[in-house]
């Protein structure tokens, strides 16, 4: 059967209809959505960046996009938490994976930026699946260019990722937000890390981070204050600025997301992360990524499923922006 029945709402081509086609068969697109070449145009494009040449510990996030797509087969079209059907009001499509050079980091970063600009030329917004966190830098460059200036940033991560360099290298998965701040891509008064925890190299890491203007909501803050209060504070800080959201899946506790490259104990639950995202409804989201899914360390698709659900809620936020 070549022409598979799809859910169609408001003229938008949605996921394959899992009541009529086995959702576990055939090649996976994100949430079984149509490929970009199957639609005339798309308002939101899901794109994979299979790249992990910037990692400082376990490799494997290059397999993240394929794994998250596989883990997204069970997503359904209606999200009761927000009373919305994220694929109904706008056209969402899977743009496949970027062809990124694994042997030349500079070329990879440059090409991700070019491709992100090309994919958003028609006004579409991107939900990117990584890939290691290095890719957030070119994605932020493209987002700031499209927004016409610095963007607000919510960075969900166990790590600050504002370190300066590793082995003398300036472009790594531990440094993208320092580079972004140096390049003036961020409205740093509206930039915040959420979910940070774990040992640092020294007190200086926090001082440097504060000097760039980032706010910090630690994993312990989320635990003590709760998701709703944290989301309200973040929403206030962001205001109506164009917002980019970057989710490093290691923001979740290793119990919720074991399949990642630099795991740290004491993290948020998937429920807390999803509830914070839902508390951001009304924000002016211009782009988002979910990165650092390394399937070789995943069990029972825990990490892939968490990443797929986070991406699904991010699409809901993009759709409403
Ligand atoms: N972006 C992620 N996932 N990790 C950064 C860890 C940097 C380090 O090795 O200290
Ligand atoms: Zn991290
Ligand atoms: Zn990170």
């Amino acid at each position: 059967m070549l022409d598979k029945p799809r859910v169609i709402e408001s003229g938008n081509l949605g996921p394959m209809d899992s009541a009529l086609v086995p959702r576990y068969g055939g090649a996976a697109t994100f949430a079984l959505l149509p490929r970009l070449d199957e639609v005339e145009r798309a308002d939101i494009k899901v794109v994979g960046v299979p790249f992990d040449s910037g990692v400082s510990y376990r490799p494997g996030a290059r397999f993240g996009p394929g794994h998250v797509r596989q883990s997204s087969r069970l997503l359904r079209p209606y999200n009761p938490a927000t009373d919305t059907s994220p694929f109904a009001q706008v056209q969402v499509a899977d743009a496949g994976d970027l062809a990124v050079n694994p042997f030349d980091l500079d070329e990879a970063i440059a090409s991700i930026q070019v491709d992100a600009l090309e994919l958003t030329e028609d006004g579409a917004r991107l939900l990117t699946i990584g890939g290691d966190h290095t890719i957030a830098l070119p994605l932020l460059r493209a987002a700031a260019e499209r927004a016409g200036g610095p963007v607000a940033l919510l960075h969900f991560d166990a790590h600050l990722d504002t370190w300066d360099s590793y082995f003398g290298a300036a472009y790594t998965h531990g440094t993208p937000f320092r580079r972004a701040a140096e390049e003036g891509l961020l409205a740093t008064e509206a930039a915040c890390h959420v979910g940070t925890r774990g040992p640092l190299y020294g007190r200086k890491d926090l001082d440097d981070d504060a000097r760039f203007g980032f706010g910090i909501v630690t994993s312990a803050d989320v635990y003590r204050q709760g998701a709703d209060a944290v989301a309200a504070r973040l929403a206030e800080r962001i205001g109506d600025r164009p917002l980019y959201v970057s989710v490093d899946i290691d923001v979740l506790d290793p119990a919720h997301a074991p399949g990642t490259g630099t795991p740290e104990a004491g993290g948020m639950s998937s429920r807390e992360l999803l509830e914070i995202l839902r508390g951001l409804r009304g924000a002016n989201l211009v782009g988002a990524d979910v990165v650092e899914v390394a399937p070789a360390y995943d069990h029972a698709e825990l990490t892939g499923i968490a990443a797929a659900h986070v991406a699904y809620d991010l699409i809901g936020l993009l759709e409403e922006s």
Side-chain angles (χ1 to χ4, degrees):
M1 186 163 65
L2 287 176
D3 251 344
K4 298 202 170 109
R6 291 187 175 278
V7 180
I8 300 176
E9 286 181 82
S10 314
N12 293 305
L13 208 55
M16 284 192 331
D17 188 339
S18 295
L20 299 171
V21 195
R23 49 163 61 106
Y24 37 83
T29 55
F30 183 79
L32 304 178
L33 284 161
R35 296 189 315 265
L36 189 55
D37 62 10
E38 294 176 303
V39 292
E40 271 170 31
R41 39 155 289 287
D43 305 286
I44 298 172
K45 296 172 183 171
V46 181
V47 65
V49 183
F51 176 83
D52 64 6
S53 307
V55 299
S56 57
Y57 198 50
R58 298 167 172 174
R62 65 178 58 184
F63 296 105
H67 187 64
V68 175
R69 287 193 185 95
Q70 170 66 19
S71 298
S72 73
R73 289 176 183 268
L74 190 55
L75 291 171
R76 301 181 190 86
Y78 174 70
N79 187 350
T82 52
D83 186 26
T84 56
S85 299
F87 312 132
Q89 301 315 315
V90 300
Q91 181 65 58
V92 189
D94 190 324
D97 287 346
L98 302 185
V100 194
N101 188 339
F103 300 109
D104 187 329
L105 217 126
D106 293 338
E107 189 194 306
I109 288 172
S111 76
I112 293 167
Q113 184 180 346
V114 168
D115 290 346
L117 282 169
E118 197 180 308
L119 283 165
T120 52
E121 204 157 28
D122 57 2
R125 274 163 298 159
L126 295 186
L127 183 285
T128 307
I129 303 171
D132 76 52
H133 224 154
T134 313
I135 69 170
L137 177 64
L139 294 170
L140 275 167
R141 286 178 181 160
E145 182 168 336
R146 286 280 169 244
V151 293
L153 171 73
L154 279 186
H155 168 219
F156 293 88
D157 201 324
H159 309 99
L160 298 167
D161 288 358
T162 51
W163 284 294
D164 191 25
S165 63
Y166 292 84
F167 291 80
Y171 299 98
T172 76
H173 78 153
T175 58
F177 301 108
R178 189 181 190 115
R179 297 289 94 80
E182 288 168 348
E183 292 181 20
L185 307 175
L186 305 178
T188 44
E189 75 283 4
C192 195
H193 311 292
V194 186
T196 52
R197 62 191 188 275
L200 300 173
Y201 298 95
R203 166 82 223 177
K204 183 176 179 297
D205 297 348
L206 292 171
D207 296 340
D208 282 359
D209 191 79
R211 198 158 37 77
F212 284 107
F214 292 93
I216 296 182
V217 176
T218 66
S219 180
D221 292 335
V222 174
Y223 163 68
R224 295 213 169 83
Q225 295 167 22
D228 293 347
V230 164
R233 268 179 59 202
L234 294 173
E236 197 182 325
R237 185 174 164 110
I238 295 154
D240 57 6
R241 294 175 182 82
L243 169 68
Y244 188 89
V245 172
S246 185
V247 179
D248 183 329
I249 205 66
D250 72 27
V251 72
L252 300 182
D253 191 88
H256 293 256
T260 195
T262 46
E264 313 278 351
M268 285 157 52
S269 66
S270 341
R271 182 177 57 222
E272 284 172 317
L273 176 55
L274 290 168
E275 286 303 320
I276 292 176
L277 293 178
R278 289 165 191 162
L280 297 173
R281 288 180 85 180
N284 178 18
L285 188 62
V286 296
D289 63 54
V290 184
V291 299
E292 296 282 350
V293 175
Y297 305 95
D298 205 7
H299 321 292
E301 286 187 280
L302 294 182
T303 318
I305 290 164
H309 281 249
V310 167
Y312 178 76
D313 264 78
L314 285 169
I315 290 171
L317 286 175
L318 281 168
E319 179 251 311
E320 289 183 349
S321 296

